[in-house]
Amino acid sequence: MESLNQDALFVWLAASPTPRFEYQGHAFEAYQESAGVPAGSLFRMRLIYDDLRVESALSAWMLSLAKTLGLDVIDIAPIRRQVALHCIELALPLEPSRELLATFPSDLAECHLIRQALPKLSEPGLLVMDMDSTAIQIECIDELAAMAGVGEQVAAITERAMLGELDFEQSLRQRVAQLKGADASIIENLCERLPLMSGLEPMLAELKSHQWRLVVASGGFTPFVGHLKQLLNLDAAFANELVITDGRLVGEVTGKVVDAQFKADVIAACSADWQIPPGQRVAIGDGANDIPMVQAADFGIAFHAKPKLAAAADANIRRLDLRVLPYLLQY
């Protein structure tokens, strides 16, 4: 864990010359992730950041944490991954209060309190991702609608669906109906310029290096998930199929609708197909329609999410990009 910062605590942790370091009246003891947390530690906290200049603020917060919890010794470990972020783990005998966690400098870094066993990055697993606003930066239905001249009408329905105010299938059919008569060429046009979410490719590369299976399950449409499957070498992709006749969108979808329950069922089906063991199934999404999916997984992650999903997930990525995900797994 390289540190270019002059903060003494992080300089020591990066070099790890000794297992114990005295710092401003507190003792820090280093351990390695692979060895497991020290005896007596009931909770873990991972601090993840992208800018080394925040380390001074993080060390100051850790000292405040130790004082508030009455800790004479703080157990700390560097967490190393292939993606270009930085992470440390604290092993704690007590759970920090909400009030204490609220003092964390969340504008500078992410703080993830771990209360459960984490999936193992070093063993084969399954990741099921939502597509729109998770794997890619846009909502495809909204973009298609804008290209078809009905953007405002469709965007309003999408927002209500993402907040969980509308039944998904009903909202899907309402939105698709607005596309009736549009030239089907808008689909290919959008496929060619899908903006991948920041951090997606390095995150997937790290999971692939450990033989993880990668799947997209989307309430969007098959041309887009098919494009991502080929582009990113994914193992499977599921979405809704638009009806096209004579080069025009009919305003309907055909076949079984990929709704919230379908996305949740993908986890069980893919796990069975690939013999993914319990504990190794991860899901990530951003909207209320992803709640059953993240709850069906062993570890569900909300990504820059709407409030209902954020409340239901095991972890929330609030500030940084998808490179955070490997740091939420155990090596």
Side-chain angles (χ1 to χ4, degrees), residues 7-311:
D7 183 87
L9 175 60
F10 283 86
V11 170
W12 162 76
L13 190 61
S16 298
T18 61
R20 186 181 177 97
F21 183 66
E22 299 290 337
Y23 181 71
Q24 297 190 18
H26 290 270
F28 287 80
E29 291 191 352
Y31 66 95
Q32 297 301 314
E33 179 186 13
S34 58
V37 298
S41 299
L42 302 178
F43 299 93
R44 289 179 291 160
M45 182 183 295
R46 290 191 175 180
L47 312 184
I48 306 170
Y49 54 103
D50 60 351
D51 188 341
L52 295 172
R53 291 172 296 181
V54 312
E55 290 179 344
S56 294
L58 294 181
S59 64
W61 185 81
M62 285 188 283
L63 291 172
S64 175
L65 174 76
K67 182 178 180 180
T68 303
L69 294 180
L71 302 179
D72 295 324
V73 178
I74 304 173
D75 293 304
I76 186 169
I79 305 298
R80 297 181 173 92
R81 297 290 184 264
Q82 296 174 20
V83 294
L85 292 178
H86 310 280
C87 178
I88 59 170
E89 178 178 274
L90 306 178
L92 305 171
L94 301 170
E95 180 175 6
S97 66
R98 286 189 177 183
E99 292 76 14
L100 182 53
L101 291 174
T103 67
F104 181 79
S106 57
D107 58 325
L108 304 177
E110 296 214 358
C111 176
H112 295 271
L113 185 62
I114 300 168
R115 299 182 175 90
Q116 66 191 91
L118 296 175
K120 294 182 178 179
L121 174 62
S122 54
E123 298 179 6
L126 169 69
L127 173 64
V128 179
M129 304 175 285
D130 178 41
M131 178 177 68
D132 296 326
S133 298
T134 300
I136 62 175
Q137 298 178 27
I138 61 171
E139 294 286 328
C140 285
I141 182 67
D142 290 354
E143 294 297 318
L144 289 177
M147 295 165 73
V150 290
E152 291 186 7
Q153 300 93 307
V154 168
I157 301 172
T158 296
E159 181 64 16
R160 292 186 63 194
M162 292 292 290
L163 291 170
E165 297 175 359
L166 292 177
D167 170 77
F168 176 78
E169 181 172 350
Q170 178 187 21
S171 70
L172 174 69
R173 296 190 185 279
Q174 287 180 3
R175 288 177 289 175
V176 171
Q178 298 287 329
L179 301 177
K180 183 177 181 179
D183 193 312
S185 64
I186 62 175
I187 295 174
E188 182 177 355
N189 182 292
L190 184 56
C191 276
E192 292 175 352
R193 54 185 181 86
L194 283 183
L196 300 181
M197 187 62 71
S198 179
L200 175 67
E201 291 180 286
M203 179 268 284
L204 295 179
E206 181 149 19
L207 295 183
K208 286 179 186 179
S209 73
H210 293 287
Q211 289 73 57
W212 275 58
R213 297 282 191 166
L214 308 173
V215 176
V216 167
S218 172
F221 307 113
T222 52
F224 307 114
V225 299
H227 176 77
L228 289 181
K229 182 175 183 291
Q230 181 177 13
L231 177 67
L232 302 170
N233 193 27
L234 304 178
D235 294 286
F238 304 90
N240 296 296
E241 186 174 351
L242 290 165
V243 179
I244 299 173
T245 300
D246 297 329
R248 296 280 175 180
L249 296 176
V250 175
E252 300 174 1
V253 293
T254 185
K256 184 173 177 59
V257 169
V258 178
D259 58 8
Q261 187 56 51
F262 186 104
K263 294 168 74 170
D265 293 342
V266 164
I267 295 174
C270 289
S271 297
D273 288 344
W274 297 320
Q275 299 182 322
I276 304 297
Q280 289 294 103
R281 303 168 300 179
V282 177
I284 185 168
D286 70 294
N289 191 51
D290 297 313
I291 291 175
M293 180 178 74
V294 301
Q295 291 182 330
D298 301 303
F299 193 69
I301 303 171
F303 179 73
H304 297 186
K306 302 298 183 182
K308 287 186 177 180
L309 177 61

